[in-house]
Amino acid sequence: MEGGLGQSYSEANKSRVLDVKPLRCWAPVFPKSPQSPLLPNSASLGSSQLAFNAFYPSTVLPGSDELNHPAAAANGGSQNGFFPFGNPGGPPSAAAPAPIRSYKSSEPTPAVVTQDHGASNGDVGGSLQIDRSDNASGSVKRKRTVLSFDGKSESRKNLVCLDTSQREEGSAEIVEYVRMMFDAVRRRLSQLEEAKEALISLKKRPDLKAGSILMSKGIRTNMIKRTGTVPGVEIGDIFFFRMEMCLVGLHGPCMAGIDYLTCKGNSEDEPLALSIVSSGVYDDEAEDKDVLIYTGQGGVRKKQVVDQKLEKGNLALERSLQRANEIRVIRGMKDLMNPSAKVYVYDGLYKVQESWTEKGRTGGNIFKYKLVRIAHQPSAFSIWKSVEKWKHGFGSRVGLILPDLASGAENLPVSLVNDVDNDRGPSYFTYFPSVKYSKPYTSTTLRLGCNCHTCTPGDLNCCCIRKNDGDFPYLASGVLVSRRPMLYECSPLCPCFPNCKNRVSQTGLKFHLEVFKTTDRGWGLRSWDPIRAGAFICEYAGEVVDKLNLKRKSERDDYIFDTGQHNQNSLKWNYEPALLDEEKSGECTEDYEIPVPLTISAKKIGNVARFMNHSCNPNIFWQPVMYEHNSEPFLHIAFFAIKNIPPMTELTFDYGITPMVSHQAHVSDTADGKKKCLCKSANCRGYFR
DNA sequence: GCGGACTCAATTAT
DNA sequence: CATAATTGAGTCCG
């Protein structure tokens, strides 16, 4: 889509920021815009900063039509960076300005060149417009770099490519797609590496490798550097790898802590800070929820005592103090679930309030910058601080009804909280952490156990691994790598220890969960802890019921989970084998294979899963898991995280077409038995059964 | 079991 | 186009 509206918009915006030659001031053209993705919030700037905002070099204006772009875009306040004006499917602007190379990362080489799409801008509420490379069309442009894939283009049908404008400017859907893809590839690379570990110890970095692959294939977005908000990235979003922030354009450098933009073409260098990561390498003061004392870069890890220099990131922060532009702040901290790793929280926009130098611990002079959080932003880091307090018992949890709803039945307490109304709890039920069968699941009795004492990834002698297509389904960190038709876990029949890594769904809760009262959807479930994509949440506990009997009884049961009627078909979660040059198309299916349908009722007995609400844009999926009790195989329904989930975010899954609704009267029944959906997601289907 | 030293990384600005 | 600068995430060792 070169020359499309999105691009010319971006180019124009870019130029506004970058070219600050005073004599070409178009001040009246440029309105105030808190949402404008590229510029500091002019409303909150002093007069000196206004001058900076207003410059709009006429040289990049392709035509009089383009004059409207900044104003329209800014006034529209489009959250996702879409164009709220113009002809959505309109012809590409032939006069789009030439890209300014120094402000855009170099163009990646798509593995498969994308096909032209009719309308790639403009449909604000629409689905992510991604190209499926069928390479059937004659209009497909091929570059020479494609050749390594030419022989196997058949197996690459599912690879989704982003077009130029999608790589330059993101949206919620594009960002989500990139993040899902990144983690799916990373998990697969980790899985391959862990399987090899038995033979050779390769210290590879799956996170870097996954990032590198996606970069080279153009699966990234928000490549145009900008100050302020990044379309599709929300305050509070969490990341487990630096690469991930790099791919979605939140923070460009994969290592350095300060991202900045240099105003090239200007005689004097005027770098501007865009985002910073505070992660503990330097002696930052990051305890206050709204103030961050950030240390400049340089001088650390040097053999001799070195003074930091006022250049690059340090200079950029200094200039940003003068310009008073918004700076994205990402706070990194130790991941308590995985102490050797880190987790990064996007904490929104800050401004540099003052700067000074002082003597660092190692003796050299260092720069310090005091950043203050801009008011009235959604809370992010402060939620983490609150959770920390609740966990340590200081500070009372507002609205706490019960410290442990499960009364000790789980290995972690489950809080019951209501801070919205006077409801003192859900209706009575018995807490039970697993599924109760009254008769065998299947008529056949199979010995399914393996013979290992320690099931080791890559060991194909382990028949539990063989049943999972030869892959150890979980990583050492406990996350699931891929959805599969059926997941086979080790069981009491296996001689391996109960802490075997292939028993993830049997080992209880991993996160401190909370059942809480929502404002309009009854009771819901959320977690105090951050959750990684692929992490196990809980299983669907309850009584296995006979579906036919259930229908006859006509007694209302809103707590039914039914494998036969669920539908997660729209979810594509697994890695794309073609990205890793794997010929594995058939085995990578995400269609479930349920040998015998299973219906579970959590009305009388159940666990936390019975409180999970429906969403058309869920963060949890369910996966059938098979293992044995008393020498007989039983089917369980296990829930895993689709994406990284920040603390205190409601956990939801897609009820699909199941006749199950949440237990509360938060849905209004329509004539045909459908329930009105209140999930509020952009792609909400409106109703579910 | 933890912290420090050391090592290997990918990307981007220069 | 090569190179320097950046520091996350491992490993190793005391």
Side-chain angles (χ1 to χ4, degrees):
Chain A
M1 288 304 292
E2 8 196 316
L5 289 172
Q7 189 179 6
S8 45
Y9 163 63
S10 311
E11 298 298 342
N13 260 344
K14 220 164 24 180
S15 317
R16 266 182 284 140
V17 172
L18 304 171
D19 191 332
V20 285
K21 288 169 190 139
L23 287 176
R24 281 184 243 144
C25 177
W26 283 67
V29 177
F30 196 80
K32 303 177 171 85
S33 162
Q35 278 294 337
S36 175
L38 269 160
L39 289 164
N41 184 350
S42 53
S44 52
L45 296 175
S47 55
S48 62
Q49 282 80 35
L50 271 176
F52 160 70
N53 270 2
F55 302 121
Y56 195 84
S58 56
T59 48
V60 300
L61 292 175
S64 57
D65 277 354
E66 298 284 323
L67 267 177
N68 292 325
H69 287 194
N75 286 337
S78 163
Q79 295 236 337
N80 290 337
F82 281 110
F83 251 170
F85 65 92
N87 176 5
S93 160
I100 303 169
R101 214 187 67 83
S102 37
Y103 303 120
K104 186 164 60 178
S105 315
S106 56
E107 199 54 23
T109 312
V112 173
V113 176
T114 59
Q115 286 175 254
D116 254 16
H117 227 282
S120 74
N121 285 304
D123 67 330
V124 173
S127 59
L128 171 57
Q129 302 209 352
I130 34 197
D131 294 312
R132 303 217 164 241
S133 48
D134 274 345
N135 76 292
S137 155
S139 70
V140 173
K141 297 158 272 178
R142 281 199 175 278
K143 289 182 185 166
R144 292 192 58 230
T145 43
V146 174
L147 58 91
S148 67
F149 293 103
D150 266 357
K152 6 177 174 167
S153 49
E154 276 308 298
S155 66
R156 315 194 79 246
K157 282 218 165 119
N158 288 323
L159 185 56
V160 172
C161 290
L162 300 178
D163 66 31
T164 309
S165 67
Q166 288 168 330
R167 286 197 293 262
E168 294 187 344
E169 177 107 8
S171 68
E173 282 150 313
I174 296 170
V175 165
E176 180 163 302
Y177 170 69
V178 171
R179 296 188 65 180
M180 296 254 289
M181 223 35 175
F182 166 78
D183 208 60
V185 170
R186 185 197 63 81
R187 290 192 309 267
R188 175 57 175 167
L189 289 170
S190 304
Q191 183 181 49
L192 291 171
E193 195 208 315
E194 288 180 11
K196 247 187 303 189
E197 214 165 43
L199 304 172
I200 338 148
S201 175
L202 291 167
K203 40 179 180 181
K204 282 279 163 57
R205 289 278 303 273
D207 56 323
L208 296 184
K209 196 149 200 183
S212 184
I213 289 172
L214 294 224
M215 288 240 172
S216 69
K217 302 289 193 273
I219 303 176
R220 58 185 300 188
T221 189
N222 290 315
M223 286 171 75
I224 292 177
K225 295 202 164 206
R226 70 201 71 214
T227 62
T229 305
V230 173
V233 182
E234 301 294 326
I235 292 172
D237 279 357
I238 59 172
F239 303 84
F240 290 89
F241 298 94
R242 292 286 304 258
M243 265 295 185
E244 215 181 341
M245 298 191 280
C246 190
L247 286 167
V248 299
L250 180 63
H251 184 78
C254 63
M255 290 184 178
I258 307 170
D259 194 11
Y260 61 96
L261 189 62
T262 310
C263 300
K264 262 245 184 86
N266 223 358
S267 49
E268 57 205 296
D269 255 6
E270 292 289 295
L272 203 59
L274 306 177
S275 58
I276 57 165
V277 179
S278 164
S279 59
V281 173
Y282 298 92
D283 293 326
D284 298 342
E285 282 173 45
E287 283 309 300
D288 191 290
K289 63 186 176 58
D290 293 320
V291 179
L292 175 66
I293 309 294
Y294 191 75
T295 309
Q297 63 191 180
V300 93
R301 284 198 198 191
K302 291 275 178 355
K303 293 271 161 61
Q304 328 94 321
V305 174
V306 180
D307 289 342
Q308 292 187 342
K309 296 187 196 110
L310 192 59
E311 57 180 26
K312 298 182 180 170
N314 299 343
L315 181 61
L317 280 168
E318 198 63 43
R319 292 289 174 264
S320 287
L321 167 62
Q322 294 151 13
R323 300 278 204 191
N325 69 299
E326 295 165 336
I327 296 171
R328 297 184 292 272
V329 168
I330 297 122
R331 293 174 180 258
M333 49 208 134
K334 203 175 254 187
D335 179 10
L336 297 175
M337 302 286 124
N338 189 1
S340 63
K342 271 186 195 146
V343 54
Y344 302 92
V345 185
Y346 172 44
D347 197 36
L349 304 175
Y350 284 61
K351 281 186 184 180
V352 187
Q353 200 176 69
E354 52 180 301
S355 71
W356 64 93
T357 60
E358 59 184 54
K359 263 289 185 254
R361 237 182 340 144
T362 52
N365 285 325
I366 56 172
F367 294 99
K368 290 280 184 182
Y369 301 91
K370 181 180 179 187
L371 288 113
V372 179
R373 195 167 195 254
I374 294 170
H376 311 304
Q377 299 184 88
S379 42
F381 178 64
S382 64
I383 293 177
W384 292 66
K385 302 299 279 182
S386 302
V387 170
E388 206 172 88
K389 278 185 201 150
W390 303 336
K391 284 197 167 181
H392 288 97
F394 334 116
S396 54
R397 174 88 179 91
V398 175
L400 185 73
I401 299 167
L402 274 177
D404 185 15
L405 174 76
S407 315
E410 300 279 8
N411 48 358
L412 288 171
V414 177
S415 310
L416 178 66
V417 176
N418 181 356
D419 55 10
V420 299
D421 60 27
N422 293 323
D423 193 348
R424 286 191 300 163
S427 53
Y428 180 80
F429 74 102
T430 303
Y431 199 100
F432 186 73
S434 190
V435 66
K436 263 189 175 164
Y437 280 86
S438 50
K439 57 182 183 186
Y441 170 64
T442 57
S443 51
T444 51
T445 304
L446 294 165
R447 201 199 130 81
L448 288 170
C450 62
N451 295 314
C452 320
H453 286 281
T454 306
C455 301
T456 314
D459 179 8
L460 292 181
N461 293 320
C462 172
C463 66
C464 290
I465 294 179
R466 283 207 307 273
K467 281 200 289 278
N468 291 306
D469 294 329
D471 287 325
F472 202 90
Y474 299 106
L475 299 183
S477 58
V479 307
L480 183 69
V481 176
S482 304
R483 297 168 74 205
R484 41 183 69 248
M486 180 63 70
L487 187 56
Y488 295 92
E489 291 196 352
C490 291
S491 73
L493 281 191
C494 309
C496 55
F497 296 105
N499 66 355
C500 168
K501 291 289 183 190
N502 192 28
R503 298 174 186 238
V504 168
S505 81
Q506 305 165 44
T507 47
L509 301 184
K510 309 280 187 297
F511 306 107
H512 186 128
L513 300 178
E514 163 179 301
V515 172
F516 73 108
K517 188 74 188 280
T518 66
T519 50
D520 57 354
R521 287 167 297 142
W523 297 89
L525 185 68
R526 62 190 175 191
S527 166
W528 286 14
D529 301 310
I531 299 175
R532 297 169 86 109
F536 170 73
I537 311 292
C538 63
E539 77 164 297
Y540 197 92
E543 297 171 290
V544 173
V545 293
D546 188 325
K547 212 172 152 188
L548 295 174
N549 281 343
L550 198 74
K551 274 198 179 139
R552 241 177 274 134
K553 270 200 285 181
S554 82
E555 190 188 321
R556 186 176 174 119
D557 188 343
D558 284 340
Y559 298 91
I560 292 293
F561 185 98
D562 188 342
T563 58
Q565 293 187 49
H566 263 84
N567 156 22
Q568 296 182 122
N569 294 345
S570 56
L571 177 61
K572 163 113 179 48
W573 192 69
N574 291 354
Y575 69 99
E576 176 51 56
L579 277 178
L580 302 175
D581 287 337
E582 283 183 38
E583 303 274 0
K584 210 182 171 183
S585 50
E587 297 159 50
C588 221
T589 175
E590 299 193 35
D591 295 330
Y592 291 158
E593 263 168 31
I594 313 287
V596 177
L598 181 68
T599 307
I600 304 170
S601 168
K603 190 176 181 179
K604 289 183 220 147
I605 69 168
N607 68 349
V608 289
R610 73 200 290 281
F611 295 105
M612 253 193 282
N613 282 314
H614 161 87
S615 172
C616 298
N617 182 22
N619 49 22
I620 304 287
F621 66 83
W622 63 273
Q623 160 76 50
V625 182
M626 189 84 87
Y627 55 88
E628 290 151 342
H629 292 276
N630 306 323
S631 306
E632 304 208 38
F634 286 103
L635 183 65
H636 296 255
I637 303 303
F639 291 94
F640 294 90
I642 292 175
K643 43 198 165 190
N644 298 336
I645 307 172
M648 306 304 281
T649 303
E650 181 167 10
L651 307 179
T652 54
F653 74 104
D654 192 338
Y655 286 7
I657 57 164
T658 306
M660 166 178 148
V661 295
S662 190
H663 45 290
Q664 300 290 327
H666 66 271
V667 284
S668 49
D669 299 10
T670 58
D672 56 355
K674 288 181 180 172
K675 318 289 180 201
K676 193 167 192 293
C677 182
L678 297 168
C679 79
K680 300 185 202 105
S681 62
N683 54 347
C684 179
R685 297 190 296 262
Y687 291 88
F688 64 94
R689 278 176 182 275

